[in-house]
Coordinates of all heavy atoms in Angstrom, one line a residue:
T219 N 124.0 102.9 109.7 CA 124.3 101.6 110.3 C 124.1 100.6 109.2 O 122.9 100.5 108.7 CB 123.5 101.4 111.6 OG1 123.9 102.3 112.5 CG2 123.8 100.0 112.1
G220 N 125.0 99.7 109.0 CA 124.9 98.7 107.9 C 125.0 97.3 108.5 O 125.2 97.1 109.6
T221 N 124.7 96.4 107.5 CA 124.8 94.9 107.8 C 126.1 94.4 107.1 O 126.9 95.1 106.6 CB 123.6 94.2 107.4 OG1 123.5 94.3 105.9 CG2 122.3 94.8 108.0
A222 N 126.2 93.1 107.1 CA 127.4 92.4 106.5 C 127.4 92.6 105.0 O 128.5 92.4 104.4 CB 127.4 91.0 106.9
T223 N 126.3 93.0 104.4 CA 126.3 93.1 102.9 C 125.8 94.5 102.5 O 125.4 94.6 101.3 CB 125.4 92.0 102.3 OG1 124.1 92.1 102.9 CG2 125.9 90.6 102.6
T224 N 125.8 95.5 103.3 CA 125.2 96.8 103.0 C 126.1 97.6 102.0 O 127.3 97.7 102.2 CB 125.0 97.6 104.3 OG1 124.1 96.9 105.1 CG2 124.5 99.0 104.0
S225 N 125.4 98.1 101.0 CA 126.1 99.1 100.1 C 125.0 100.3 100.1 O 124.2 100.3 99.2 CB 126.4 98.6 98.7 OG 127.3 97.5 98.8
A226 N 125.1 101.2 101.0 CA 124.1 102.2 101.2 C 124.5 103.6 100.6 O 125.7 103.8 100.5 CB 123.7 102.3 102.6
Y227 N 123.5 104.4 100.4 CA 123.8 105.8 99.9 C 122.7 106.7 100.4 O 121.6 106.3 100.5 CB 124.0 105.9 98.4 CG 122.9 105.4 97.6 CD1 121.8 106.2 97.2 CD2 122.8 104.0 97.2 CE1 120.8 105.8 96.5 CE2 121.7 103.5 96.5 CZ 120.7 104.4 96.1 OH 119.7 104.0 95.4
I228 N 123.1 107.9 100.7 CA 122.1 109.0 101.0 C 122.6 110.2 100.1 O 123.7 110.7 100.3 CB 122.2 109.4 102.5 CG1 121.8 108.2 103.4 CG2 121.3 110.6 102.7 CD1 120.4 107.9 103.3
T229 N 121.7 110.6 99.2 CA 122.1 111.6 98.2 C 121.1 112.7 98.2 O 119.9 112.5 98.6 CB 122.3 111.0 96.8 OG1 121.1 110.4 96.4 CG2 123.4 110.0 96.8
A230 N 121.5 113.8 97.6 CA 120.5 115.0 97.5 C 121.1 115.9 96.4 O 122.3 115.9 96.1 CB 120.4 115.8 98.8
P231 N 120.2 116.7 95.8 CA 120.6 117.7 94.8 C 121.2 118.9 95.5 O 120.7 119.3 96.5 CB 119.3 118.0 94.0 CG 118.2 117.8 95.0 CD 118.7 116.6 95.9
Y232 N 122.2 119.5 94.9 CA 122.7 120.8 95.4 C 121.7 121.8 95.1 O 121.0 121.8 94.0 CB 124.0 121.1 94.7 CG 125.2 120.6 95.4 CD1 126.1 119.7 94.7 CD2 125.5 120.8 96.7 CE1 127.2 119.2 95.2 CE2 126.7 120.3 97.3 CZ 127.5 119.5 96.6 OH 128.7 119.0 97.1
P233 N 121.5 122.8 96.0 CA 120.6 123.9 95.7 C 121.1 124.7 94.5 O 120.3 125.3 93.7 CB 120.7 124.8 97.0 CG 121.1 123.9 98.0 CD 122.0 122.9 97.4
T234 N 122.4 124.8 94.3 CA 123.0 125.4 93.1 C 123.9 124.4 92.4 O 124.8 123.8 93.1 CB 123.8 126.6 93.5 OG1 123.0 127.6 94.2 CG2 124.5 127.3 92.3
S235 N 123.7 124.1 91.2 CA 124.5 123.1 90.5 C 125.9 123.6 90.4 O 126.2 124.8 90.3 CB 123.9 122.9 89.1 OG 122.7 122.3 89.1
I236 N 126.8 122.6 90.5 CA 128.2 122.8 90.4 C 128.6 123.1 89.0 O 128.4 122.3 88.1 CB 129.0 121.6 91.0 CG1 128.6 121.3 92.4 CG2 130.5 121.9 90.9 CD1 128.7 122.4 93.3
T237 N 129.2 124.3 88.7 CA 129.7 124.7 87.4 C 131.0 125.5 87.6 O 131.3 125.9 88.7 CB 128.7 125.6 86.7 OG1 128.6 126.8 87.4 CG2 127.4 124.9 86.6
P238 N 131.8 125.6 86.6 CA 133.1 126.4 86.7 C 132.8 127.8 87.1 O 133.7 128.5 87.7 CB 133.6 126.4 85.3 CG 133.1 125.1 84.7 CD 131.7 125.0 85.2
S239 N 131.6 128.4 86.9 CA 131.4 129.7 87.3 C 131.5 129.9 88.8 O 131.7 131.1 89.3 CB 130.0 130.2 86.9 OG 129.0 129.4 87.5
L240 N 131.4 128.8 89.6 CA 131.6 129.0 91.1 C 133.0 129.1 91.5 O 133.3 129.4 92.6 CB 131.0 127.7 91.7 CG 129.5 127.5 91.6 CD1 129.0 126.2 92.2 CD2 128.7 128.7 92.1
G241 N 133.9 128.9 90.5 CA 135.4 129.1 90.9 C 135.9 128.0 91.8 O 135.8 126.8 91.5
T242 N 136.4 128.4 93.0 CA 136.9 127.5 93.9 C 135.8 127.0 94.9 O 135.0 127.8 95.4 CB 138.0 128.2 94.8 OG1 139.1 128.6 93.9 CG2 138.6 127.3 95.8
L243 N 135.8 125.7 95.1 CA 134.8 125.1 96.0 C 135.6 124.6 97.2 O 136.6 124.0 97.1 CB 134.1 124.0 95.3 CG 133.2 124.4 94.1 CD1 132.6 123.1 93.5 CD2 132.2 125.4 94.5
T244 N 135.0 124.8 98.4 CA 135.6 124.3 99.7 C 134.6 123.5 100.4 O 133.6 124.0 100.9 CB 136.2 125.4 100.5 OG1 137.1 126.2 99.8 CG2 136.8 124.9 101.8
W245 N 134.9 122.2 100.6 CA 134.1 121.3 101.4 C 134.7 121.1 102.8 O 136.0 120.9 102.8 CB 133.9 119.9 100.8 CG 133.1 119.8 99.5 CD1 131.8 119.5 99.4 CD2 133.6 120.0 98.2 NE1 131.5 119.5 98.0 CE2 132.6 119.8 97.3 CE3 134.9 120.4 97.6 CZ2 132.7 119.9 95.9 CZ3 135.0 120.5 96.3 CH2 133.9 120.3 95.4
T246 N 134.0 121.2 103.8 CA 134.5 120.8 105.2 C 133.5 120.0 105.9 O 132.3 120.2 105.7 CB 134.7 122.1 106.0 OG1 133.6 122.9 106.0 CG2 135.9 122.9 105.5
F247 N 133.9 119.0 106.6 CA 133.0 118.1 107.4 C 133.9 117.3 108.4 O 135.1 117.2 108.3 CB 132.3 117.2 106.4 CG 133.1 116.4 105.4 CD1 133.7 115.2 105.7 CD2 133.3 117.0 104.2 CE1 134.5 114.6 104.8 CE2 134.1 116.4 103.2 CZ 134.7 115.2 103.5
N248 N 133.1 116.7 109.4 CA 133.7 115.7 110.3 C 133.3 114.3 109.9 O 132.3 114.1 109.3 CB 133.2 116.0 111.7 CG 133.5 117.4 112.3 OD1 132.6 118.2 112.5 ND2 134.8 117.6 112.5
I249 N 134.2 113.4 110.2 CA 134.0 112.0 109.7 C 134.6 111.0 110.7 O 135.7 111.3 111.3 CB 134.5 111.8 108.3 CG1 134.0 110.5 107.7 CG2 136.1 111.9 108.3 CD1 134.3 110.4 106.1
R250 N 134.0 109.8 110.8 CA 134.5 108.7 111.6 C 133.7 107.5 111.2 O 132.6 107.6 110.8 CB 134.4 109.0 113.1 CG 134.9 107.9 114.0 CD 134.7 108.1 115.5 NE 135.3 107.1 116.3 CZ 134.7 106.0 116.7 NH1 133.4 105.8 116.4 NH2 135.3 105.1 117.5
R251 N 134.4 106.3 111.4 CA 133.6 105.1 111.2 C 134.3 104.0 112.1 O 135.4 104.1 112.6 CB 133.6 104.6 109.7 CG 135.0 104.1 109.2 CD 134.7 103.5 107.9 NE 136.0 103.1 107.2 CZ 136.6 102.0 107.4 NH1 136.3 101.1 108.3 NH2 137.7 101.7 106.6
Q252 N 133.5 102.8 112.2 CA 134.1 101.6 112.8 C 134.8 100.8 111.8 O 134.5 100.9 110.6 CB 132.9 100.9 113.5 CG 132.3 101.6 114.7 CD 131.1 100.9 115.2 OE1 130.4 100.2 114.5 NE2 130.9 101.0 116.5
G253 N 135.6 99.9 112.2 CA 136.4 99.0 111.3 C 137.8 99.6 111.1 O 138.0 100.8 111.0
T254 N 138.7 98.7 110.9 CA 140.1 99.2 110.9 C 140.7 99.3 109.5 O 141.7 99.9 109.3 CB 141.0 98.2 111.7 OG1 140.8 96.9 111.1 CG2 140.6 98.1 113.1
T255 N 140.0 98.7 108.5 CA 140.6 98.7 107.1 C 139.5 99.2 106.1 O 138.3 99.3 106.5 CB 141.1 97.3 106.7 OG1 140.0 96.4 106.7 CG2 142.2 96.8 107.6
A256 N 139.9 99.3 104.9 CA 139.0 99.6 103.8 C 139.2 98.6 102.7 O 140.4 98.4 102.2 CB 139.2 101.0 103.2
T257 N 138.2 97.9 102.2 CA 138.4 96.8 101.3 C 137.7 97.1 99.9 O 138.1 96.4 98.9 CB 137.8 95.5 101.8 OG1 136.4 95.7 102.2 CG2 138.6 95.1 103.1
G258 N 136.8 98.0 99.8 CA 136.2 98.3 98.5 C 134.7 98.7 98.7 O 134.1 98.8 99.8
W259 N 134.0 98.8 97.5 CA 132.6 99.3 97.4 C 131.7 98.1 97.1 O 130.5 98.4 97.0 CB 132.5 100.4 96.4 CG 133.2 101.7 96.9 CD1 134.3 102.1 96.4 CD2 132.7 102.6 97.9 NE1 134.7 103.3 97.0 CE2 133.7 103.6 97.9 CE3 131.6 102.6 98.7 CZ2 133.6 104.7 98.8 CZ3 131.5 103.7 99.6 CH2 132.4 104.7 99.6
G260 N 132.2 96.9 97.0 CA 131.3 95.8 96.6 C 130.5 95.3 97.8 O 130.7 95.7 99.0
S261 N 129.6 94.4 97.5 CA 128.8 93.8 98.6 C 129.7 93.1 99.6 O 130.5 92.3 99.2 CB 127.7 92.8 98.0 OG 127.0 92.2 99.0
G262 N 129.5 93.3 100.9 CA 130.3 92.7 101.9 C 131.7 93.3 102.1 O 132.5 92.8 102.8
Q263 N 131.9 94.5 101.4 CA 133.2 95.2 101.6 C 133.0 96.4 102.5 O 131.9 96.9 102.6 CB 133.8 95.6 100.2 CG 134.2 94.4 99.4 CD 134.9 94.8 98.1 OE1 134.3 95.6 97.3 NE2 136.1 94.2 97.8
L264 N 134.1 96.9 103.1 CA 134.0 98.0 104.0 C 134.6 99.3 103.4 O 135.8 99.2 103.0 CB 134.8 97.6 105.3 CG 134.7 98.6 106.5 CD1 133.2 98.8 106.9 CD2 135.5 98.1 107.7
Q265 N 133.9 100.3 103.4 CA 134.3 101.6 102.8 C 133.4 102.7 103.2 O 132.2 102.5 103.5 CB 134.3 101.5 101.3 CG 134.8 102.7 100.5 CD 136.2 103.1 100.7 OE1 136.5 103.8 101.7 NE2 137.1 102.7 99.9
Q266 N 133.9 103.9 103.4 CA 133.2 105.1 103.7 C 133.6 106.3 102.8 O 134.8 106.4 102.4 CB 133.4 105.5 105.2 CG 132.6 106.7 105.6 CD 132.9 107.2 107.1 OE1 134.1 106.9 107.5 NE2 132.0 107.8 107.7
G267 N 132.6 107.1 102.4 CA 133.0 108.2 101.5 C 132.0 109.3 101.5 O 130.9 109.2 102.2
V268 N 132.3 110.4 100.8 CA 131.5 111.6 100.6 C 131.5 111.9 99.1 O 132.6 112.0 98.5 CB 132.0 112.8 101.4 CG1 131.1 114.0 101.1 CG2 131.9 112.5 102.9
I269 N 130.3 112.0 98.5 CA 130.2 112.4 97.1 C 130.4 113.9 97.1 O 129.6 114.7 97.6 CB 128.9 112.0 96.5 CG1 128.6 110.5 96.5 CG2 128.8 112.5 95.0 CD1 127.2 110.1 96.1
L270 N 131.5 114.4 96.5 CA 131.7 115.8 96.4 C 130.8 116.5 95.4 O 130.1 117.4 95.7 CB 133.2 116.1 96.1 CG 134.2 115.6 97.1 CD1 135.6 115.8 96.6 CD2 134.0 116.2 98.5
F271 N 130.8 115.9 94.2 CA 129.7 116.3 93.2 C 129.7 115.2 92.1 O 130.8 114.7 91.8 CB 129.8 117.7 92.7 CG 131.0 117.9 91.7 CD1 130.9 117.7 90.4 CD2 132.2 118.5 92.2 CE1 132.0 117.9 89.5 CE2 133.3 118.7 91.4 CZ 133.2 118.4 90.0
C272 N 128.6 115.0 91.5 CA 128.5 114.1 90.4 C 127.2 114.4 89.6 O 126.4 115.2 90.0 CB 128.4 112.6 90.9 SG 127.0 112.2 91.8
N273 N 127.1 113.7 88.5 CA 125.9 114.0 87.6 C 124.8 113.0 87.6 O 123.8 113.1 86.9 CB 126.4 114.2 86.1 CG 127.0 113.0 85.6 OD1 127.3 112.0 86.3 ND2 127.3 112.9 84.3
D274 N 125.0 111.9 88.4 CA 124.0 110.8 88.4 C 124.1 110.1 89.7 O 125.1 109.5 90.1 CB 124.3 109.9 87.2 CG 123.2 108.8 87.1 OD1 122.3 108.7 88.0 OD2 123.3 107.9 86.2
V275 N 123.0 110.0 90.5 CA 122.9 109.3 91.7 C 121.8 108.2 91.7 O 121.3 107.8 92.7 CB 122.7 110.2 92.9 CG1 124.0 111.1 93.1 CG2 121.5 111.1 92.7
S276 N 121.4 107.8 90.5 CA 120.3 106.9 90.4 C 120.7 105.5 91.0 O 119.8 104.8 91.5 CB 120.0 106.6 88.9 OG 121.1 106.2 88.2
T277 N 122.0 105.2 91.1 CA 122.4 104.0 91.8 C 123.3 104.3 92.9 O 124.2 103.5 93.4 CB 123.1 103.0 90.8 OG1 124.3 103.6 90.3 CG2 122.2 102.6 89.7
G278 N 123.2 105.5 93.4 CA 124.0 106.0 94.6 C 125.4 106.2 94.3 O 126.3 106.2 95.2
F279 N 125.8 106.4 93.0 CA 127.1 106.6 92.5 C 128.0 105.3 92.5 O 129.2 105.3 92.4 CB 127.8 107.7 93.4 CG 128.9 108.5 92.6 CD1 128.8 108.8 91.3 CD2 130.0 108.9 93.3 CE1 129.8 109.5 90.6 CE2 131.0 109.6 92.7 CZ 130.9 109.9 91.3
Y280 N 127.3 104.2 92.7 CA 128.0 102.9 92.7 C 128.2 102.4 91.3 O 129.4 101.9 91.0 CB 127.2 101.9 93.5 CG 127.3 102.0 95.0 CD1 126.4 102.7 95.8 CD2 128.4 101.5 95.7 CE1 126.5 102.9 97.1 CE2 128.5 101.6 97.1 CZ 127.6 102.3 97.8 OH 127.7 102.4 99.2
T281 N 127.2 102.4 90.5 CA 127.4 101.8 89.2 C 127.1 102.8 88.0 O 127.1 102.4 86.9 CB 126.4 100.6 89.0 OG1 125.0 101.1 89.1 CG2 126.7 99.5 90.0
S282 N 126.9 104.0 88.3 CA 126.7 105.1 87.3 C 127.1 106.4 87.8 O 127.2 106.6 89.1 CB 125.2 105.1 86.8 OG 124.4 105.4 87.9
G283 N 127.4 107.3 86.9 CA 127.7 108.7 87.3 C 129.1 109.0 87.2 O 130.0 108.2 87.4
N284 N 129.4 110.3 86.9 CA 130.8 110.8 86.8 C 130.9 112.0 87.8 O 130.0 112.8 87.9 CB 131.1 111.4 85.4 CG 130.9 110.3 84.3 OD1 131.1 109.1 84.5 ND2 130.4 110.7 83.1
G285 N 132.1 112.1 88.4 CA 132.3 113.2 89.3 C 133.5 112.9 90.2 O 134.4 112.1 89.8
Y286 N 133.5 113.4 91.4 CA 134.6 113.3 92.4 C 134.0 112.9 93.7 O 132.9 113.3 94.1 CB 135.4 114.6 92.5 CG 136.0 115.0 91.2 CD1 135.4 115.8 90.2 CD2 137.3 114.5 90.9 CE1 136.0 116.1 89.0 CE2 137.9 114.9 89.7 CZ 137.3 115.7 88.8 OH 137.9 116.0 87.6
A287 N 134.8 112.2 94.5 CA 134.4 111.7 95.8 C 135.6 111.7 96.7 O 136.8 111.6 96.3 CB 133.7 110.4 95.8
L288 N 135.4 111.8 98.0 CA 136.4 111.5 99.0 C 136.1 110.1 99.6 O 135.0 109.9 100.1 CB 136.4 112.6 100.1 CG 137.5 112.3 101.2 CD1 138.3 113.5 101.4 CD2 136.8 111.9 102.5
V289 N 137.1 109.3 99.6 CA 136.9 107.9 100.1 C 138.1 107.4 100.9 O 139.2 108.1 101.0 CB 136.8 106.9 98.9 CG1 135.6 107.3 98.0 CG2 138.1 106.9 98.0
N290 N 137.9 106.3 101.6 CA 139.0 105.6 102.4 C 140.0 105.1 101.4 O 139.6 104.6 100.3 CB 138.5 104.5 103.2 CG 137.5 105.0 104.3 OD1 136.7 104.3 104.8 ND2 137.7 106.2 104.8
N291 N 141.3 105.1 101.8 CA 142.3 104.5 100.9 C 142.2 102.9 101.0 O 141.8 102.4 102.0 CB 143.7 104.9 101.4 CG 144.0 106.3 101.1 OD1 143.3 106.9 100.3 ND2 145.1 106.8 101.7
L292 N 142.5 102.3 99.9 CA 142.6 100.8 99.9 C 144.0 100.4 100.1 O 144.9 100.9 99.4 CB 142.1 100.3 98.5 CG 140.6 100.6 98.2 CD1 140.3 100.1 96.8 CD2 139.7 100.1 99.2
G293 N 144.2 99.5 101.0 CA 145.6 99.0 101.2 C 146.4 99.8 102.2 O 147.4 99.4 102.7

Side-chain angles (χ1 to χ4, degrees):
T219 298
T221 65
T223 59
T224 295
S225 296
Y227 56 90
I228 298 290
T229 60
Y232 274 123
T234 301
S235 294
I236 303 303
T237 66
S239 64
L240 297 178
T242 298
L243 300 175
T244 301
W245 292 264
T246 51
F247 48 87
N248 299 115
I249 194 169
R250 180 184 184 267
R251 73 168 173 83
Q252 295 175 327
T254 58
T255 62
T257 56
W259 292 104
S261 176
Q263 293 182 309
L264 186 59
Q265 180 64 276
Q266 182 185 25
V268 173
I269 303 173
L270 301 177
F271 71 86
C272 69
N273 64 348
D274 182 0
V275 291
S276 58
T277 63
F279 209 36
Y280 281 97
T281 61
S282 63
N284 302 327
Y286 297 90
L288 178 128
V289 300
N290 297 152
N291 288 347
L292 300 178

